[in-house]
Amino acid sequence: PKISPQLYNEYIERLAWRTPGGGSKGGAEAFDPKRLLEEFENHIEELKQLDEKIQRRVEKLEHQCHREAKEFAHKVQDLQRSNQVAFQHFQELDEHISYVATKVCHLGDQLEGVNTPRQRAVEAQRLMTYFNEFLDGDLRSDVFNNPEKIKEAADIIQKLHLIAQELPFDRFADVKAKIASKYHDLERQLVQEFTAAQRRGEIGRMREVAAVLLHFKGYAHCVDVYIKQCQEGAYMRSDVFEDTALLCQRVNKQVGEVFQSPETVMAKLIQNIFENKLQAHVKEKLDETRRSDIEQYLKNLYDLYTRTTALAAKLTEFNLGSDKHTFLSKLIKNIFSTYLESYIEMEKDYLRTRSAMILQRYYDSKNHQKRPLGGGSIQELKERIRQRTNLPLGPSIDTHGETFLSQEVVVNLLQETRHAFERCNRLSDPSDLPKNAFSIFLLLVEHLCVDHIDYALEIGLSAIPSADAKNANLYFLDVVQQANTIFHLFDKQFNDHLMPLISSSPKLTECLHKKKEVIEQMEVKLDTGIDRTLNCMVGQMKHILATEQKKTDFRPEDENNVMIQCTAACSKVCVYVSRQVERVRKSMDGKNVDTVLTELGVRFHHLIHEHLQQYSYSSMGGMLAICDVAEYRKSAKDFRVPLVLQLFDTLHALCNLLVVAPDNLKQVCFGEQLTNLDRNLLHAFVQLRVDYRQARLGRHFS
């Protein structure tokens, strides 16, 4: 291998330093190149000798390695030959073993073929011996007299019983009867032994006896006894469902250790519990309230059915066979089928009676006798005509501020309906669920929407005074407010409780159509009532203006001694308007507020516009009119409706025509706010000026 220059240099440097006189930087002795050359030559000679020595050693080791490699290769070849020989011997041994095994199996089959008939013959001889004892009527064998050998005796008597059944009755009637008697006696003893072992809690003994009884006809009776004893002392508390769950959990752990088919025994236990304990409990709870207290009956039915299905869900944890869900469903159906068939009719009868009672109790608390609506009397005809017009067909009904709407009543009706929906969801067959839910919804519509809300709207409409009534109390807005709140509650229950029951059925369309129809009918009455209420508001404003506004307000006798401020009539109207705007905001929500306030604002503007055109104005009177309109405009801002504010802005601009100098009339008319108005309207306002004829202002509009 090559030596790196760095190592080579270091080696030469160390060698030079060790040589006397070989240092390059001076020292104790002066530099002597001859001595250094001599030292290098001697050292090189030593290295050559060392190299030859190492080379001889390497060659020796290589030779030794080649020799050992050849020896190892010979050993491997010997081992391979030995392995092949051993493998051949193994194959020969395997073939020999297979041959011997085949011979042994063949010999075993031959022995079995000989031994089986022999065993059968021995067994037949043994049975014939026992059969002779029965034939003689003297059971001498120890197996029939020793209680400890009851298992062996049971095996013998079970086989004899099968044989006896094949014998002709006329010749062997007596012996067949004796065998049958012993068969039943042993069967009874085994059942008693099983019962005693169960009482002692000896699981091993129970398993042994059950295995023996498995081939007897009385095995089913053994299972029945086991099931009966399991239930002894299990129902000590009042909660039969919790007791049943605990009992089944305890038995499920034990039944697998005792019986060979535990799923059959477990299913029989559960069937026994359902057909006896649970059915009796359900019958007792429901029959005592079915005729006396229908509300409690429905609550009990819902609670019992819910707890029974919950118990069945717990029982599915156990091994009950291949189709345990169908098995448990049939058990539940057998218990509740008679009650579920008549459920929905009883639910509707109760809901109808309960809702009517809630409503009647409310009207009785108000000392109110419900008026029949939709009749054919002359008085009702007049009332309906008055509702749809402003004709004074007699006085309106005075409700003394009562809306005849109650959130407490509504909450009670919705709560009863919610409970009905919950029971309907639990107790209805899945195929009948949408239909039943829809029938409950129709009852809610009948009692809440028709008998309560619609009736209140009819009474509210009847109580709205005519438009020319003085100091009218407008309670219909309170009706609107409460009806709006009730609508929200009604809609919430529709979405939360009815929709999940019908969302995937054709009844959904029918329900939505019915809901839309009911709401539209009520909205028509609400719109009619609001329209007539707005007419009353405008009528009240008109009455204030008619009684408070004087002609001299806009043509003062002393023009020089007048305070520039709004008139008393204007102040009273503005106070009234502000109060009504606030009432509308409290009574409405959403876009309805803007819609109603827009209509009220337009009518308010129309009233003021016509009112101002009834007077003539002096120069100072025009200023007062502008003050009034400015005050009306402040009230219009309370509406927060751009259209209403724009109308009063335009009216304010029109009033400027009452005070502007004659020479500037044309310029004002073509101003930004008046340029789009009809010329005749502008001319009509100008004609209200006192100086219209004297100054011949009409020429400005020619």
Side-chain angles (χ1 to χ4, degrees):
K2 294 182 179 180
I3 300 176
S4 65
Q6 184 178 359
L7 292 176
Y8 182 77
N9 292 335
E10 289 179 357
Y11 179 76
I12 297 299
E13 189 69 27
R14 287 198 301 272
L15 181 60
W17 276 105
R18 288 199 302 267
T19 302
S24 59
K25 296 182 180 179
E29 297 182 12
F31 176 68
D32 188 353
K34 289 182 178 182
R35 290 187 65 179
L36 184 60
L37 176 60
E38 183 182 352
E39 186 65 27
F40 279 171
E41 289 175 349
N42 293 335
H43 200 74
I44 288 172
E45 189 63 30
E46 290 176 1
L47 287 175
K48 285 180 179 180
Q49 293 175 0
L50 180 62
D51 180 61
E52 290 175 357
K53 183 180 179 180
I54 292 174
Q55 188 63 35
R56 285 193 299 271
R57 187 177 179 185
V58 169
E59 290 175 355
K60 182 180 179 181
L61 290 174
E62 286 180 350
H63 178 71
Q64 183 181 354
C65 182
H66 286 306
R67 186 179 69 254
E68 291 180 355
K70 288 180 181 180
E71 292 176 357
F72 181 75
H74 289 307
K75 288 182 180 179
V76 170
Q77 289 176 357
D78 293 340
L79 289 174
Q80 286 179 343
R81 285 192 295 271
S82 299
N83 183 55
Q84 288 178 354
V85 172
F87 183 72
Q88 290 175 356
H89 289 169
F90 176 78
Q91 284 184 327
E92 292 173 359
L93 180 62
D94 184 59
E95 291 174 357
H96 186 66
I97 290 173
S98 298
Y99 174 76
V100 172
T102 303
K103 289 292 186 180
V104 170
C105 290
H106 179 66
L107 181 61
D109 292 339
Q110 289 180 335
L111 290 174
E112 185 178 2
V114 173
N115 188 53
T116 300
R118 178 180 175 278
Q119 286 181 340
R120 289 176 180 173
V122 171
E123 181 69 16
Q125 182 183 12
R126 189 169 67 96
L127 291 175
M128 289 173 64
T129 302
Y130 295 132
F131 185 82
N132 286 334
E133 292 184 12
F134 278 98
L135 194 63
D136 297 338
D138 183 16
L139 300 179
R140 300 178 300 277
S141 298
D142 182 59
V143 69
F144 293 121
N145 299 307
N146 189 348
E148 296 181 358
K149 295 184 178 182
I150 189 172
K151 181 178 179 181
E152 184 180 351
D155 179 63
I156 294 170
I157 201 67
Q158 193 266 338
K159 292 176 180 178
L160 289 176
H161 186 262
L162 292 175
I163 294 172
Q165 290 179 352
E166 302 295 329
L167 298 176
F169 181 78
D170 52 350
R171 294 176 56 192
F172 298 96
D174 185 52
V175 70
K176 289 177 71 171
K178 292 178 181 178
I179 291 174
S181 175
K182 188 63 176 178
Y183 177 90
H184 293 302
D185 183 53
L186 279 174
E187 188 178 64
R188 178 179 52 79
Q189 291 180 37
L190 287 170
V191 172
Q192 290 177 350
E193 177 64 22
F194 181 88
T195 303
Q198 185 177 1
R199 293 186 184 279
R200 295 192 301 268
E202 297 177 359
I203 301 298
R205 183 58 178 163
M206 290 170 63
R207 181 171 56 251
E208 292 178 5
V209 176
V212 175
L213 277 170
L214 182 63
H215 304 291
F216 279 76
K217 295 180 180 179
Y219 179 72
H221 181 59
C222 171
V223 174
D224 292 339
V225 170
Y226 174 77
I227 290 173
K228 182 180 179 181
Q229 286 200 172
C230 283
Q231 299 180 59
E232 292 180 0
Y235 293 93
M236 303 299 292
R237 295 178 296 180
S238 59
D239 192 342
V240 64
F241 298 98
E242 188 64 26
D243 287 340
T244 298
L246 294 175
L247 170 63
C248 291
Q249 288 177 355
R250 175 171 57 83
V251 172
N252 184 62
K253 297 177 181 178
Q254 185 183 84
V255 73
E257 301 176 0
V258 176
F259 298 98
Q260 294 186 9
S261 53
E263 68 279 359
T264 305
V265 179
M266 198 67 192
K268 196 168 184 178
L269 168 66
I270 291 174
Q271 182 177 357
N272 181 273
I273 294 173
F274 270 70
E275 292 178 351
N276 293 283
K277 286 288 183 182
L278 291 185
Q279 189 158 13
H281 178 71
V282 169
K283 183 177 176 60
E284 178 187 0
K285 287 288 185 180
L286 295 181
D287 287 357
E288 66 182 2
T289 58
R290 189 167 190 174
R291 300 188 182 280
S292 60
D293 189 350
I294 189 171
E295 179 182 7
Q296 191 60 44
Y297 167 79
L298 291 172
K299 289 180 179 179
N300 288 346
L301 178 59
Y302 175 78
D303 179 64
L304 290 170
Y305 189 82
T306 300
R307 299 196 67 187
T308 304
T309 53
L311 174 63
K314 289 182 180 179
L315 298 180
T316 56
E317 300 174 0
F318 307 133
N319 183 12
L320 306 178
S322 58
D323 197 1
K324 52 188 174 184
H325 294 284
T326 304
F327 169 70
L328 292 170
S329 297
K330 287 182 179 179
L331 293 179
I332 295 174
K333 185 177 180 180
N334 291 338
I335 294 176
F336 290 96
S337 58
T338 56
Y339 304 105
L340 297 181
E341 288 174 358
S342 59
Y343 155 69
I344 191 61
E345 293 303 324
M346 298 187 74
E347 183 72 79
K348 291 193 292 186
D349 289 343
Y350 165 72
L351 192 58
R352 191 179 291 110
T353 304
R354 178 66 176 169
S355 300
M357 184 188 72
I358 292 172
L359 290 172
Q360 190 58 48
R361 184 185 300 165
Y362 168 71
Y363 294 123
D364 290 345
S365 69
K366 299 294 182 181
N367 294 321
H368 175 74
Q369 182 66 36
K370 284 194 72 174
R371 301 169 61 240
L373 302 176
S377 67
I378 298 298
Q379 180 62 32
E380 289 172 354
L381 179 61
K382 287 182 178 180
E383 186 174 313
R384 290 182 177 277
I385 293 174
R386 187 180 61 79
Q387 288 176 8
R388 290 162 174 78
T389 66
N390 289 324
L391 298 177
L393 300 177
S396 61
I397 298 174
D398 188 3
T399 60
H400 303 288
E402 180 60 57
T403 62
F404 292 104
L405 285 174
S406 168
Q407 285 197 30
E408 181 181 357
V409 169
V410 172
V411 169
N412 289 336
L413 290 175
L414 292 176
Q415 186 174 8
E416 293 292 344
T417 309
R418 177 172 61 83
H419 293 326
F421 281 136
E422 291 174 352
R423 290 192 289 264
C424 177
N425 185 31
R426 174 68 67 180
L427 302 175
S428 295
D429 187 87
S431 60
D432 296 331
L433 178 58
K435 178 184 66 176
N436 294 346
F438 180 65
S439 63
I440 293 174
F441 172 67
L442 290 180
L443 288 175
L444 176 63
V445 170
E446 176 186 347
H447 292 96
L448 175 61
C449 299
V450 178
D451 291 347
H452 191 55
I453 304 176
D454 190 70
Y455 177 76
L457 293 178
E458 290 283 355
I459 295 297
L461 286 171
S462 303
I464 298 176
S466 60
D468 56 355
K470 300 177 182 179
N471 299 320
N473 290 321
L474 304 177
Y475 295 114
F476 192 78
L477 290 179
D478 297 333
V479 176
V480 173
Q481 180 182 5
Q482 293 189 34
N484 187 45
T485 302
I486 294 172
F487 279 151
H488 288 307
L489 296 175
F490 172 75
D491 191 60
K492 178 174 174 56
Q493 182 163 95
F494 183 90
N495 294 324
D496 292 350
H497 296 95
L498 177 60
M499 284 293 289
L501 307 183
I502 61 171
S503 58
S504 57
S505 75
K507 284 292 180 183
L508 174 61
T509 304
E510 199 171 345
C511 283
L512 292 174
H513 176 73
K514 184 64 178 178
K515 176 187 173 187
K516 181 181 178 182
E517 178 185 346
V518 169
I519 291 179
E520 286 179 350
Q521 290 175 356
M522 293 186 183
E523 284 179 345
V524 169
K525 294 182 180 181
L526 287 171
D527 291 344
T528 302
I530 292 172
D531 180 71
R532 295 184 60 244
T533 300
L534 295 182
N535 286 339
C536 288
M537 291 179 182
V538 174
Q540 188 67 22
M541 297 179 210
K542 186 182 293 186
H543 174 69
I544 294 173
L545 291 172
T547 55
E548 298 293 334
Q549 197 85 68
K550 301 179 178 59
K551 290 186 177 181
T552 57
D553 286 346
F554 302 114
R555 292 185 64 181
E557 297 178 357
D558 187 0
E559 294 269 339
N560 297 321
N561 191 21
V562 176
M563 294 184 63
I564 305 300
Q565 61 182 12
C566 63
T567 62
C570 172
S571 297
K572 290 186 177 181
V573 168
C574 290
V575 170
Y576 179 80
V577 168
S578 297
R579 193 162 58 244
Q580 301 311 314
V581 169
E582 189 63 27
R583 288 192 65 186
V584 170
R585 291 195 183 281
K586 289 182 179 179
S587 305
M588 310 286 175
D589 63 355
K591 295 182 179 180
N592 293 330
V593 176
D594 292 339
T595 302
V596 174
L597 287 181
T598 299
E599 183 62 28
L600 177 59
V602 170
R603 297 187 188 188
F604 175 38
H605 168 266
H606 183 70
L607 172 66
I608 300 302
H609 187 276
E610 289 188 345
H611 173 71
L612 292 175
Q613 288 184 311
Q614 297 176 8
Y615 301 93
S616 59
Y617 300 87
S618 64
S619 177
M620 186 56 67
M623 295 296 295
L624 294 174
I626 290 175
C627 288
D628 279 4
V629 173
E631 195 66 24
Y632 293 138
R633 186 172 174 275
K634 288 181 182 179
S635 295
K637 289 182 179 180
D638 295 339
F639 286 73
R640 301 173 196 169
V641 178
L643 175 61
V644 176
L645 186 59
Q646 182 183 352
L647 290 173
F648 277 94
D649 285 342
T650 303
L651 183 59
H652 188 273
L654 281 172
C655 289
N656 286 332
L657 297 176
L658 302 176
V659 297
V660 71
D663 294 337
N664 296 332
L665 273 176
K666 193 168 186 179
Q667 180 183 355
V668 173
C669 289
F670 286 98
E672 181 179 354
Q673 290 183 311
L674 302 179
T675 184
N676 294 325
L677 295 182
D678 185 9
R679 298 293 97 183
N680 293 328
L681 177 60
L682 300 176
H683 193 188
F685 253 83
V686 173
Q687 286 180 327
L688 300 177
R689 294 172 59 130
V690 175
D691 59 353
Y692 175 74
R693 296 188 180 278
Q694 293 87 344
R696 298 196 313 178
L697 299 180
R699 58 188 175 84
H700 293 282
F701 292 88
S702 58

